[in-house]
Amino acid sequence: MSVAIVGGGPGDPGLVTVRALELVRGCEILVYDRLVAPALVAKAMGAARISRDGLTQEEVNELLVHHGRRGRRVVRLKGGDPFIFGRGFEEVEALAAAGIDYEVVPGRSTFTAVPGLAGIPLTTRGVAAQLTILTGTSGDASDLDYDHLAATPGTLVIFMGLKRPEHLADNLILAGRPVDEPAAVVSRLSLPGSETRVGTLGTIAAVARGLKTPSLVIVGDVVASTEHLRTAVDVATRRAA
């Protein structure tokens, strides 16, 4: 292996894979994203650490190819999973075109961490059997197909939705999703200061004000399931007291 494209998980360095930690500790060059925990970056002791901030995707590709051609142990450390809204495949394509050996190490995506860490089951029997994952900010500046999303059953999980929650909610409602459909915003999942706020599609823009990125917007009846669970726990706690 010359270059490894590594998923750093949802934020907490304790949630990275064993293989990811092994590669970070043994690399000579570490190219890391802003969302990667500083504690994880610090594990690359003795490595040259290069922040991706301020670099274009083309410059990142060139950096990986440059060091890969010289046979250095390079780790490209990305938040979440490199193949889920992480441009990991673009970097793999650049390495493959240059004839450089590479390895892809999946990471736990933020959306897969939601059920356990935020307490929202993205699918659950009798409520939602389908899950749609999308980004609220398109790389080519095109808008979403709201008619399609409104007609799609189950749960919507929107990455980067905090940049324009009112626009997203209004257009989903105009396309036919219920204004009172449960919705939640999960901010900084697994990190200090993590917060989950719950409302409806009609109120989620107001509910989300002041929250920090990274965040996910979740739309669907599964959010109400979470509120029912919390209510049941509160009732049981009061009875025990």
Side-chain angles (χ1 to χ4, degrees):
M1 186 279 300
S2 177
V3 179
I5 310 297
V6 178
D12 183 342
L15 296 175
V16 300
T17 64
V18 172
R19 180 59 175 158
L21 187 57
E22 175 188 8
L23 289 170
V24 169
R25 283 174 167 165
C27 71
E28 297 174 286
I29 307 291
L30 180 74
V31 183
Y32 64 95
D33 282 351
R34 174 178 55 85
L35 297 180
V36 174
L40 183 56
V41 173
K43 299 292 184 183
M45 293 182 290
R49 305 172 194 172
I50 305 170
S51 172
R52 185 249 192 271
D53 274 2
L55 301 178
T56 65
Q57 185 60 55
E58 290 71 22
E59 288 171 334
V60 172
N61 295 348
E62 291 170 4
L63 190 63
L64 299 179
V65 168
H66 171 80
H67 290 292
R69 278 182 172 150
R70 284 151 182 78
R72 293 165 184 152
R73 297 187 304 277
V74 182
V75 166
R76 172 70 175 103
L77 188 58
K78 308 170 80 70
D81 183 279
F83 277 17
I84 299 178
F85 302 125
R87 296 190 176 183
F89 190 66
E90 295 178 36
E91 294 166 0
V92 163
E93 285 183 308
L95 293 168
I100 296 170
D101 290 337
Y102 64 87
E103 175 182 354
V104 177
V105 180
R108 191 178 187 190
S109 175
T110 303
F111 90 87
T112 61
V114 164
L117 297 178
I120 299 176
L122 301 182
T123 63
T124 187
R125 187 169 58 175
V127 178
Q130 184 169 320
L131 174 63
T132 302
I133 304 162
L134 59 143
T135 174
T137 305
S138 173
D140 61 4
S142 62
D143 211 346
L144 302 174
D145 185 345
Y146 293 102
D147 290 333
H148 175 75
L149 292 172
T152 301
T155 308
L156 300 181
V157 178
I158 307 172
F159 281 69
M160 293 171 277
L162 199 58
K163 293 183 178 180
R164 51 175 192 167
E166 189 168 2
H167 174 84
L168 294 169
D170 286 350
N171 280 280
L172 285 171
I173 292 167
L174 288 171
R177 288 195 84 114
V179 66
D180 60 351
E181 184 172 16
V185 178
V186 181
S187 168
R188 295 180 58 80
L189 186 68
S190 87
L191 297 171
S194 175
E195 188 173 354
T196 300
R197 295 184 187 173
V198 174
T200 66
L201 196 53
T203 66
I204 197 62
V207 167
R209 286 193 189 115
L211 287 179
K212 297 178 180 179
T213 58
S215 65
L216 288 180
V217 177
I218 303 163
V219 180
D221 289 336
V222 291
V223 175
S225 299
T226 302
E227 289 302 289
H228 294 157
L229 176 60
R230 289 172 179 163
T231 299
V233 170
D234 290 342
V235 169
T237 301
R238 287 196 295 271
R239 284 175 178 169

